[in-house]
Amino acid sequence: MTMNYLRKPSNLFWVISSIALVWNLMGVFNYLDQAFMTDKILETLPKEQQILYQNVPAWVTAAFAIAVFSGTLGSLLLLLKKKIATTFFIISFLGIVGQMSYGLLIDQNSDSYGPMGIAMPIIIIAFGGYLIWYSRKANEHRWLS
C-alpha cells in the first residue's frame, strides 16, 4: 500500500504560479477596460481601433471574460495547491480559443491590430495550453491536493 502524501513544491512552482496569476490579472484588467470603455475614451482611439471595438460580437466578449476570470481562478487555485486548478485552466483555454478564433479567423479588420495582431494571440493560446500542462505536471508530482 503506497501513501499518497503531498510533496513540497519546487521554487519554480511558486514562480510559475505567481507569473500565471499576474498574467491572468493583466487579462482581467484588459477585459474590464474593454468591457467598460466609455464613448469618450473610444473617441480618443484611432478610427481603425474604434471600428474594431464597436464591432466585437457579444460572444467574443463573453469568451474573453471566461478566459481571464477562469484563468485567474485557476492561478489562485494553483497557488493554493488545489487539483481543480487544471479544470479552470481548461475552461480558460476554451474561452481563449473562442476569443482568439474571432480575431485570427473571422474578423475582417484584423489588419488594424498592428504587428502584434498575430503574435499576441499565439502567445496567449500557447500560455493557456502551458498552464493546463503545468498544472497536470504539478499534480503528477503530488504538489496538489
Side-chain angles (χ1 to χ4, degrees), residues 4 7 39 48 61 66 78 109 113 117-119 124:
N4 194 10
R7 293 182 179 170
D39 289 339
E48 311 85 46
T61 303
I66 290 166
L78 192 60
N109 298 312
Y113 291 117
I118 298 294
I124 292 168

Tab-separated table of all heavy atoms in Angstrom, residues 4 7 39 48 61 66 78 109 113 117-119 124:
chain	number	residue	atom	x	y	z
A	4	ASN	N	-0.248	8.276	-0.271
A	4	ASN	CA	-0.451	9.341	-1.240
A	4	ASN	C	-0.307	10.687	-0.527
A	4	ASN	O	-1.263	11.402	-0.329
A	4	ASN	CB	-1.831	9.201	-1.895
A	4	ASN	CG	-1.939	10.074	-3.125
A	4	ASN	OD1	-0.956	10.624	-3.584
A	4	ASN	ND2	-3.139	10.201	-3.636
A	7	ARG	N	3.899	16.349	-1.698
A	7	ARG	CA	5.302	16.745	-1.657
A	7	ARG	C	5.377	18.267	-1.641
A	7	ARG	O	4.464	18.952	-2.074
A	7	ARG	CB	6.034	16.226	-2.886
A	7	ARG	CG	6.155	14.726	-2.943
A	7	ARG	CD	6.925	14.343	-4.171
A	7	ARG	NE	7.091	12.908	-4.241
A	7	ARG	CZ	7.548	12.282	-5.296
A	7	ARG	NH1	7.902	12.958	-6.365
A	7	ARG	NH2	7.682	10.981	-5.287
A	39	ASP	N	-17.712	56.002	-24.342
A	39	ASP	CA	-17.659	56.608	-25.672
A	39	ASP	C	-16.566	57.668	-25.742
A	39	ASP	O	-15.901	57.817	-26.763
A	39	ASP	CB	-19.015	57.229	-26.036
A	39	ASP	CG	-20.081	56.171	-26.302
A	39	ASP	OD1	-19.703	55.016	-26.594
A	39	ASP	OD2	-21.270	56.509	-26.221
A	48	GLU	N	-9.437	53.132	-36.898
A	48	GLU	CA	-9.426	51.678	-37.136
A	48	GLU	C	-9.725	50.912	-35.849
A	48	GLU	O	-10.447	49.918	-35.852
A	48	GLU	CB	-8.069	51.201	-37.679
A	48	GLU	CG	-7.490	51.969	-38.822
A	48	GLU	CD	-6.700	53.192	-38.375
A	48	GLU	OE1	-5.879	53.135	-37.439
A	48	GLU	OE2	-6.927	54.243	-38.990
A	61	THR	N	-16.801	38.863	-26.453
A	61	THR	CA	-16.611	39.496	-25.147
A	61	THR	C	-16.853	38.481	-24.033
A	61	THR	O	-16.114	38.448	-23.046
A	61	THR	CB	-17.543	40.717	-25.003
A	61	THR	OG1	-17.264	41.625	-26.078
A	61	THR	CG2	-17.334	41.429	-23.684
A	66	ILE	N	-14.694	34.690	-19.860
A	66	ILE	CA	-14.494	33.309	-19.411
A	66	ILE	C	-13.003	32.998	-19.337
A	66	ILE	O	-12.521	32.411	-18.359
A	66	ILE	CB	-15.231	32.317	-20.334
A	66	ILE	CG1	-16.742	32.457	-20.129
A	66	ILE	CG2	-14.755	30.886	-20.110
A	66	ILE	CD1	-17.583	31.779	-21.207
A	78	LEU	N	-3.999	27.189	-8.170
A	78	LEU	CA	-2.675	26.589	-8.295
A	78	LEU	C	-1.782	27.056	-7.145
A	78	LEU	O	-1.079	26.250	-6.528
A	78	LEU	CB	-2.056	26.950	-9.651
A	78	LEU	CG	-0.801	26.191	-10.057
A	78	LEU	CD1	-1.069	24.685	-10.143
A	78	LEU	CD2	-0.281	26.709	-11.393
A	109	ASN	N	-11.300	43.017	-40.056
A	109	ASN	CA	-10.475	44.195	-39.782
A	109	ASN	C	-9.237	43.863	-38.961
A	109	ASN	O	-8.672	44.739	-38.332
A	109	ASN	CB	-11.306	45.249	-39.022
A	109	ASN	CG	-12.480	45.718	-39.828
A	109	ASN	OD1	-12.341	46.045	-40.998
A	109	ASN	ND2	-13.649	45.739	-39.210
A	113	TYR	N	-4.913	45.481	-35.988
A	113	TYR	CA	-4.293	45.126	-34.720
A	113	TYR	C	-2.808	45.448	-34.692
A	113	TYR	O	-2.185	45.423	-33.635
A	113	TYR	CB	-4.492	43.635	-34.408
A	113	TYR	CG	-5.914	43.256	-34.091
A	113	TYR	CD1	-6.605	42.371	-34.908
A	113	TYR	CD2	-6.566	43.774	-32.989
A	113	TYR	CE1	-7.912	42.008	-34.626
A	113	TYR	CE2	-7.875	43.424	-32.712
A	113	TYR	CZ	-8.537	42.534	-33.527
A	113	TYR	OH	-9.825	42.182	-33.247
A	117	GLY	N	-0.684	41.677	-33.944
A	117	GLY	CA	-2.002	41.108	-34.218
A	117	GLY	C	-2.006	39.599	-34.374
A	117	GLY	O	-3.000	38.952	-34.077
A	118	ILE	N	-0.930	39.040	-34.841
A	118	ILE	CA	-0.815	37.583	-34.975
A	118	ILE	C	-0.027	37.004	-33.805
A	118	ILE	O	-0.394	35.974	-33.250
A	118	ILE	CB	-0.124	37.211	-36.313
A	118	ILE	CG1	-0.950	37.693	-37.497
A	118	ILE	CG2	0.135	35.712	-36.395
A	118	ILE	CD1	-2.286	37.008	-37.661
A	119	ALA	N	1.037	37.685	-33.417
A	119	ALA	CA	1.921	37.155	-32.374
A	119	ALA	C	1.216	37.030	-31.026
A	119	ALA	O	1.332	35.990	-30.355
A	119	ALA	CB	3.167	38.023	-32.244
A	124	ILE	N	-0.851	34.006	-26.300
A	124	ILE	CA	-1.924	33.777	-25.327
A	124	ILE	C	-2.405	32.329	-25.380
A	124	ILE	O	-2.576	31.681	-24.341
A	124	ILE	CB	-3.084	34.771	-25.569
A	124	ILE	CG1	-2.620	36.191	-25.230
A	124	ILE	CG2	-4.317	34.386	-24.755
A	124	ILE	CD1	-3.567	37.291	-25.697
